[in-house]
Structure formats: structure tokens, C-alpha cells
Amino acid sequence: MTKANELLSVLANAVKAGGGIHTAAELALMLERPCDPVFIKFLSDRVKKGQLRRVVKGLYESTLTPPPPNAAIYKIIKKMRSGVLNYISLESQLSYTGDISQVVMDRVTVVTKGRSGVFSTPYGVIEFTHTKKPIEQIAPNLYFDPDIQMYRATTEQAVADLKHCRRNLHMLES
């Protein structure tokens, strides 16, 4: 089996197991190869040939067996800021709960203990907003959403985050 076919096989099995978005290091581990410049070049070649898609810098998905589109952006969020607290909040959460009438399209707003940043992906824009609040203060106001496998803010927390970030409060339903 060629390296390219082996990669496609590993990616197909990963999607069946609930994966779908992978770092270069994860792909190297799955293929039992070192994650060195030669491997990175191999991944770039697979992107050029259309077998892989780079969803953001350092994260890849198979073009033949991509993750379900409704779950992909959340998988990307978790991979981009793994190891730190992330939760859906601000406009995305308030739109989700119906507390604002605007429907947030093609953008997910995430509060994180990691770095802030805005990233374009094939599935939409991810906006990370850093918080300095201690986890102990935030955690009681979060709940786990099994559909996206991530935490979401309660309405009260999302409004508090909106105020804390000095974002537009005019959209809140009275």
C-alpha cells in the first residue's frame, strides 16, 4: 500500500471513530512516521493533489471522508485551543438561545483561556476571545452540549461576556 493510500485509509477509519480533523503530528503518529519536514512535505503534496484539505494552519481533513459539516467547525475549535477552557458564548450563544433576534451566520464566537484570534475555515469563521476571569468563576455558568461535544455559556454568562468584552449590547431582546 502506498503512503498516500495508507493515509486515506487511516483518515477514513478516524472519521468512523468520531475524528476527522487532525494535526500533522496526529497524522504522523497514526501512520507510524516521524513528524519531520519530509512528512510535512508529504502532507503538502496530498493537499496539492486534493486528497487532504488544510482547514487552518496545521489542521487537516480528508477530502474523501470529511467530518460531518455540522460538527466540523467545533472539532476545529477543540483542536485549535486544546488544553484550555473554551466555550461557545457571546453572539453565537445568544443567537442559539434566542436571546438576540439576529442569526449568526458562518461565524462562531468562542471565549477561551487561550489566545484571542480570528480564523477563516471552510466551515466558517472562528472568533476566539480571551478571558482573564478565573475558571472557578466561569465554570458554574457553563453546560456541556453533547451535540457539539463542547461547553456553552448560560444566557447570563453570555450576556456578562458580551458586557465584559464591550461588544454591542443593542441586539439583546428586552
Side-chain angles (χ1 to χ4, degrees):
M1 183 182 290
T2 67
K3 273 185 8 179
N5 287 340
E6 188 180 351
L7 173 65
L8 294 176
S9 174
V10 163
L11 288 169
N13 289 334
V15 169
K16 289 178 198 167
I21 304 294
H22 306 282
T23 65
E26 290 169 341
L27 292 170
L29 181 67
M30 288 188 275
L31 292 169
E32 298 177 353
R33 301 214 181 347
C35 188
D36 57 12
V38 172
F39 187 75
I40 300 300
K41 170 79 168 82
F42 166 72
L43 294 179
S44 289
D45 290 345
R46 297 301 103 205
V47 170
K48 287 177 189 165
K49 291 197 187 284
Q51 295 172 323
L52 275 183
R53 178 162 65 167
R54 188 177 286 119
V55 291
V56 290
K57 184 178 180 183
L59 293 180
Y60 302 88
E61 71 177 357
S62 167
T63 55
L64 299 175
T65 55
N70 59 336
I73 199 159
Y74 301 108
K75 290 176 184 286
I76 295 168
I77 291 167
K78 291 185 288 187
K79 290 284 181 170
M80 289 182 73
R81 294 290 186 271
S82 62
V84 296
L85 175 66
N86 301 297
Y87 60 95
I88 308 300
S89 188
L90 304 165
E91 295 88 355
S92 290
Q93 181 62 11
L94 293 170
S95 176
Y96 176 78
T97 59
D99 290 295
I100 60 174
S101 58
Q102 294 83 350
V103 176
V104 179
M105 301 292 287
D106 296 333
R107 178 174 286 262
V108 179
T109 52
V110 181
V111 174
T112 181
K113 291 298 284 176
R115 288 191 326 238
S116 293
V118 178
F119 302 89
S120 281
T121 76
Y123 299 100
V125 175
I126 300 170
E127 180 181 352
F128 289 103
T129 302
H130 175 76
T131 183
K132 292 182 180 177
K133 292 180 183 176
I135 292 174
E136 298 77 26
Q137 184 180 350
I138 301 167
N141 301 315
L142 303 180
Y143 66 94
F144 188 75
D145 183 342
D147 293 335
I148 64 170
Q149 295 290 302
M150 282 191 69
Y151 286 99
R152 289 184 176 275
T154 60
T155 299
E156 296 76 23
Q157 182 65 46
V159 170
D161 290 338
L162 206 64
K163 289 177 182 175
H164 182 75
C165 296
R166 297 187 178 133
R167 289 170 86 119
N168 184 356
L169 299 174
H170 292 87
M171 64 183 86
L172 289 170
E173 300 290 314
S174 299

